[in-house]
Amino acid sequence: MITVPVQLGSRSYPVMVGPGVRHALADVLPDGVSRAAVVTQEAVPVVVDPGVAHQRFLIGPDEGAKRLATVEDLCRGFARFGLTRADVVVAVGGGVVTDAAGFAASVYHRGVAVVHVATTLLAQVDAAIGGKTGVNLPEGKNLVGAFWQPAAVLCDTETLETLPAEEYRSGCGEMAKYHFLGMEGLDGEGLAQLSLEERVARSVAIKAEVVASDERESGRRAVLNYGHTLAHALETAGGYGLRHGEAVAVGLVFAARLAQRLGRIDEARVHDHLEVVRSYGLPEEVPPGVDPAELVTLMGRDKKATRSLTFVLDGPRGVEPVPEVAPPDVEATLKEMS
Ligand code: GLY
């Protein structure tokens, strides 16, 4: 088992990674907890024992469950269960569960503790770490939410053994972005030499360091959205059959090509991006039928775009947010990738 600390002063917490770490749940609950609301989905095949009185709350099966109505249902259920401010919410599942349950925990009684038991690769390397919680609106993903750090995160790699292949691939899209945020030099071969536990822990450590340096995304944390501006636009436009991590992979290649068009990186660096994406067997092209103009409009609604079209792009100083990108450059890059 590997423990990675997320250093946030009095709100610091451990991320425990390894086979069977879900069984440590009772040990990581905050002191004084007497009830746990376990939020999960019907299809999540993971049973946890919080070691205190608990009740299970099921949310809907997919991304559609990430909506305000789910948060209301959960909070009403917590109230009927008698959950108090001194108790805990335990989110067991992937990013949909940790995002929705984390947000419900952040607003119920103006904030109760939450522990995430992340059961998908995507949640283990990204969604469950760092305190971003929230739900979608029809107008866009994650437009309503809160920063609410968990008390602990358990990344049980045993739960990945039964994960459907496409879910695992989706998590690989998030892992791919870390190759440009600190996992540089780790090609397919180097990566294959690491155990799954080590790969997850390395991704978590990179994220933990970035979050510790900029918890509320006033600057540097935006690098964690590398590849996400296009990914979110593709998802808002209907998904085009791509899972989140697959959309991120396309977004990484798009970001590299856009950075090259803007003179920030050379062809060899674009090739590095393609190599990483290919090593995970992820898609690299914009799917057919995409309307570049629609995507540019959707990308303008991204939370990073406070004044102008902003992208997270690679460059001489590494990956960083780049404001005021001209829409014609974006459209031309999308057309080149279609
Ligand atoms: N998923 C990006 C972040 O946590 O900041």
Side-chain angles (χ1 to χ4, degrees), residues 169 171-181 183-189 191 226 245 248-250 252-253 256 268-284 314:
R169 252 161 65 85
C172 289
E174 289 292 351
M175 221 183 231
K177 82 181 177 195
Y178 291 114
H179 284 259
F180 307 97
L181 302 176
M183 243 202 263
E184 281 91 347
L186 212 54
D187 55 13
E189 214 172 289
L191 200 69
Y226 194 37
V248 170
V250 175
L252 289 172
V253 175
R269 187 65 173 157
V270 175
H271 191 72
D272 289 345
H273 284 73
L274 286 166
E275 287 279 277
V276 167
V277 164
R278 286 173 188 161
S279 74
Y280 285 105
L282 290 162
E284 60 190 73
D314 201 1

Side-chain angles (χ1 to χ4, degrees), residues 56-239:
R56 221 162 139 245
F57 296 85
L58 293 178
I59 65 170
D62 48 32
E63 181 79 17
K66 262 183 69 172
R67 58 179 200 272
L68 281 166
T70 301
V71 176
E72 180 178 357
D73 287 348
L74 284 174
C75 291
R76 292 181 65 184
F78 297 165
R80 287 193 296 269
F81 175 46
L83 199 77
T84 74
R85 194 181 271 176
D87 293 324
V88 68
V89 172
V90 177
V92 183
V96 169
V97 178
T98 60
D99 280 10
F103 186 41
S106 80
V107 291
Y108 182 72
H109 281 220
R110 299 198 178 88
V112 295
V114 63
V115 171
H116 296 312
V117 181
T119 64
T120 65
L121 183 58
L122 192 141
Q124 295 188 359
V125 300
D126 187 47
I129 321 292
K132 274 191 184 175
T133 70
V135 293
N136 303 328
L137 295 179
E139 287 74 14
K141 275 177 64 89
N142 300 323
L143 290 185
V144 180
F147 287 98
W148 191 246
Q149 297 295 344
V153 181
L154 304 179
C155 299
D156 191 335
T157 48
E158 234 169 52
T159 65
L160 305 181
E161 287 167 14
T162 50
L163 202 62
E166 61 278 10
E167 280 272 351
Y168 189 83
R169 252 161 65 85
S170 186
C172 289
E174 289 292 351
M175 221 183 231
K177 82 181 177 195
Y178 291 114
H179 284 259
F180 307 97
L181 302 176
M183 243 202 263
E184 281 91 347
L186 212 54
D187 55 13
E189 214 172 289
L191 200 69
Q193 279 162 12
L194 296 181
S195 68
L196 181 57
E197 182 180 343
E198 286 167 328
R199 270 182 275 169
V200 172
R202 264 181 100 141
S203 302
V204 170
I206 293 170
K207 178 151 189 182
E209 190 274 318
V210 173
V211 168
S213 71
D214 178 23
E215 183 187 3
R216 297 280 172 133
E217 200 167 313
S218 46
R220 182 162 175 247
R221 183 166 176 164
V223 302
L224 294 172
N225 285 324
Y226 194 37
H228 283 63
T229 311
L230 176 61
H232 286 161
L234 286 168
E235 288 169 300
T236 304

Side-chain angles (χ1 to χ4, degrees), residues 234-313:
L234 286 168
E235 288 169 300
T236 304
Y240 297 94
L242 296 171
R243 287 182 172 259
H244 177 69
E246 293 172 325
V248 170
V250 175
L252 289 172
V253 175
F254 163 77
R257 292 201 188 282
L258 180 60
Q260 185 189 21
R261 180 176 291 274
L262 299 179
R264 297 176 55 85
I265 61 171
D266 59 16
E267 180 63 37
R269 187 65 173 157
V270 175
H271 191 72
D272 289 345
H273 284 73
L274 286 166
E275 287 279 277
V276 167
V277 164
R278 286 173 188 161
S279 74
Y280 285 105
L282 290 162
E284 60 190 73
E285 279 168 13
V286 170
V290 161
D291 174 3
E294 184 195 3
L295 290 184
V296 171
T297 303
L298 291 171
M299 288 191 272
R301 283 195 204 140
D302 191 271
K303 289 188 288 310
K304 289 183 298 307
T306 44
R307 279 186 294 278
S308 60
L309 211 43
T310 299
F311 288 88
V312 177
L313 297 176

